[in-house]
Amino acid sequence: MIDIQQILDMASEKNEHTNLELIQKAYVFAAASHQGQTRLSGEPYLSHPLAVAYTLAKMGFDEATIAAGLLHDTVEDTKASIEDIDEEFGEDVADIVDGVTKIDTIKFENKEEAQAENIRKMILAMSHDMRVLMVKLADRLHNMSTLDYQKSYKQQRISRETMDIYAPLANRLGLYIMKRDLEDLSFKYLQPDVYNQIVDWLDKHQVVEKNIIDKVVNLIRNLLQENNVQGKVYGRIKHKYSIYKKMQSQSLTLDEMHDIMAFRVLVKDIRDCYAVLGLVHSQWKPVHGRFKDYISMPKTNGYQSLHTTVIGPEAERIEIQIRTEEMHKQAEHGIAAHWLYKEKGRVNSKDLEQFSWLREIFERQGGESDSKEFIQSLKMDLFKDEVYVYTPAGDVKELPEGATPLDFAFQIHTKVGAHCSGAKINDRLMPLNTELKNGDMVEIITDPNRNPNRDWLSMVKTAKARSYIQRYLRTEERARAIRLGHELLEKEGRKLSLNCARALKDGHFVFVAQDLKYDSVDDLIASVGYGHITPRRVLNRLYGVLHPEESQPDAATQLPVKEGKETQPRKHEGVSLSGIDGVLMRFAQCCNPVPGDAIIGYISRGVGITVHRSDCPNVANMEIERLVSVTWDGEQEAPHAAGIFVIAKNEKGVLASISAAIAKYNVNITGLVMENCVDGRAKLRFKVEVLNAAELYRMIDEIRGMPSILEVIREREGDDV
Ligand code: MN
């Protein structure tokens, strides 16, 4: 069992400036918290946090990380709270402990590789401070090395999780020794037979292998020396799990395995790399097809090295990697792993910066670099552009930062998105525009009668959801325009005694569409609905088609019926329907919206879109399917009708003073109804024309402030005064 002194010694050996008191204090706190608890091995529970802290000290982490290692199980397993830790040890330590505690709540149920990848990302995303992940990995390493005491099913589950989640994470962070240890420990429980076979075989052959390793290392060293090349030579037996993987991928038995040993030569520059390669190849015969030049052709993750396999002194195949110290540092420190992870083939300088902390850890020896900036550099948001959330079944979904349940719904399936009617986040009903957070569990409620609407566009972050909604709205709007076009044509047709339905059925509209240069009858009718062409113009053509004998150039195509002015498509009117041009619009008489009011459109049969104020009581009773969102579009020159209702004491001159006030605002009075009540009050209803709501309300305010005025409101049908 590790004791606290070993940790303190290791910490000060790695960095003489380490704050040992903090570590000592954490030790006392952990010892008190875990008092009386034992592990399955029978050892005091404290042995576990001590082992974790020792691993972290050995890796060269700062006192906050080591203290957090000692405290990492106190919040989960003892009476201590995160607030206690915060108070005693400060925010830094508390944040790390909190992060580790949170990662422990991540469920790992799904065994698919894609899910494992998402869980790894989720853990990375939740480890805002990378020291969190370091403590978690050290924790896992110790748990794996004491797994013998667990029940068999737990050994399986924990080993699988380690193999699928934590070993790849260690690898990704460039912690290769940690990765090897985690893999071999998991391998031992997941495939005990194969594992033991390899252990036995290595035991039996170790002496031989060791001799070969020493021999080859010495031979290469001499080779370098004789040729005046400076370099370091290392040799080792590969770890068990990688031997197993090689057996698998090449379908070999252990006795056929040649690549048990790996050698590495580190030199100072690229020229020397090729020089060493030449020397090795002149000494031993290279195996055909095994030479890889990753220096002139780096891997997409930036990895650089020369790889070759030669027939060695004992007629054994030996694998040799040759690289510069610089390349080695990169390869070992996992910077490359990050590039691979993000986008294939793109080396991003931002990522390089993010990982500089890792390099620093390995480079700082007895360091003076224990600065605030260094600690700060450990706190970074990997994947801060992404969030990871769960489905109720435990699948993890990746979404961009700021994504909402609506994005999540579309991620699951466009059908789920399209009919999404609500969402539960962590079992609570939440609005569809709620921003999702890492680790949220999201459940979507669907309703077959619900469909996308325009508001959804402002709620989604993902391209997938956005393009689906846009596509839906476009088709939906076209369908509406066609419906509306039919209604307009029929209504106008009735006035002119033209049977449009009949003409459609008989195919007469085909010629009308052709004449008017539309690709199809539907296009023509949609165009009527959109207001690009008036029904009258279409019907004039139809008349011409139905009565060719009367048709003469120009004038003859006019209908003989006189029916007032042709309705111009009131293209602007100051209101636009987002996404649609020039629909026929009119303002509702019931609420008289003026520019500046919140408004909503209603597709009225036969008249196009009627624009109401969105708080108009009539809107509440309208068919939701026919409501469309409309907006004022800036330039409004034309005055709009509005009503003002005034209650005043029936005194002399009241009407005159109100009229004068209104006139000041350059507002036209177009109508007035006055009613004298028996109680001595007068009710006045003004019809006015104003340019915008602001002006209207300013005017109302002024009238309200005048003497003798009891009440002024903007009139709206349905309002009771
Ligand atoms: Mn633990």
Side-chain angles (χ1 to χ4, degrees), residues 45 48 72-73 139 143:
Y45 194 90
H48 169 64
H72 81 271
D73 276 332
D139 173 49
N143 284 336

Side-chain angles (χ1 to χ4, degrees), residues 169-342:
L169 277 176
N171 182 48
R172 189 157 293 163
L173 296 180
L175 306 168
Y176 289 115
I177 296 166
M178 173 90 78
K179 174 215 166 199
R180 281 170 210 151
D181 290 350
L182 289 173
E183 277 182 351
D184 274 354
L185 284 163
S186 313
F187 181 38
K188 178 174 142 191
Y189 294 99
L190 291 173
Q191 280 160 294
D193 294 347
V194 192
Y195 177 85
N196 287 325
Q197 207 185 326
I198 294 175
V199 171
D200 291 346
W201 190 90
L202 285 176
D203 264 359
K204 226 185 297 169
H205 294 75
Q206 201 177 26
V207 187
V208 185
E209 301 294 343
K210 257 214 137 75
N211 275 337
I212 297 177
I213 287 176
D214 291 344
K215 201 167 170 182
V216 172
V217 166
N218 280 325
L219 282 169
I220 299 176
R221 271 186 196 144
N222 292 338
L223 205 57
L224 297 188
Q225 224 161 28
E226 285 162 21
N227 292 278
N228 281 325
V229 180
Q230 299 262 318
K232 294 178 195 147
V233 186
Y234 305 91
R236 62 179 173 88
I237 294 175
K238 289 180 176 171
H239 77 295
K240 299 168 196 76
Y241 185 63
S242 78
I243 292 174
Y244 166 71
K245 275 204 303 195
K246 206 143 221 179
M247 287 169 64
Q248 286 291 100
S249 67
Q250 299 178 6
S251 308
L252 298 172
T253 65
L254 272 168
D255 287 322
E256 292 165 335
M257 279 281 302
H258 300 291
D259 298 337
I260 306 278
M261 292 168 293
F263 297 87
R264 184 171 295 147
V265 183
L266 303 183
V267 292
K268 67 175 191 307
D269 57 29
I270 291 178
R271 213 192 42 176
D272 283 355
C273 290
Y274 290 101
V276 172
L277 181 76
L279 291 171
V280 168
H281 279 183
S282 66
Q283 190 79 12
W284 297 298
K285 190 178 177 320
V287 176
H288 182 72
R290 294 296 304 270
F291 171 64
K292 299 260 160 46
D293 183 352
Y294 294 119
I295 289 181
S296 60
M297 299 267 286
K299 286 192 186 180
T300 48
N301 63 9
Y303 174 85
Q304 286 189 298
S305 197
L306 299 176
H307 290 190
T308 187
T309 303
V310 295
I311 308 295
E314 305 285 317
E316 285 284 330
R317 280 155 66 121
I318 54 176
E319 195 181 291
I320 304 175
Q321 300 176 347
I322 306 159
R323 55 177 87 141
T324 66
E325 298 271 3
E326 193 54 42
M327 292 169 189
H328 181 61
K329 220 179 273 175
Q330 278 214 6
E332 289 287 287
H333 296 177
I335 301 159
H338 186 60
W339 295 335
L340 179 66
Y341 193 58
K342 272 286 196 188

Side-chain angles (χ1 to χ4, degrees), residues 39 45 48-49 52 72-73 77 100 104 136 139-140 143:
R39 301 205 95 212
Y45 194 90
H48 169 64
V52 171
H72 81 271
D73 276 332
D77 297 344
V100 177
D104 286 338
K136 185 62 212 169
D139 173 49
R140 179 51 58 112
N143 284 336

Side-chain angles (χ1 to χ4, degrees), residues 89-135:
F89 302 97
E91 200 186 346
D92 222 19
V93 177
D95 279 352
I96 301 175
V97 173
D98 193 38
V100 177
T101 311
K102 283 203 179 106
I103 289 180
D104 286 338
T105 65
I106 291 181
K107 289 176 291 181
F108 175 70
E109 285 163 5
N110 199 316
K111 289 180 183 67
E112 285 165 44
E113 178 51 27
Q115 284 305 314
E117 173 64 3
N118 276 339
I119 290 183
R120 291 193 288 264
K121 288 186 186 174
M122 182 187 257
I123 291 173
L124 278 173
M126 285 172 87
S127 311
H128 291 301
D129 185 330
M130 293 314 285
R131 291 175 294 180
V132 170
L133 190 51
M134 293 305 145
V135 175

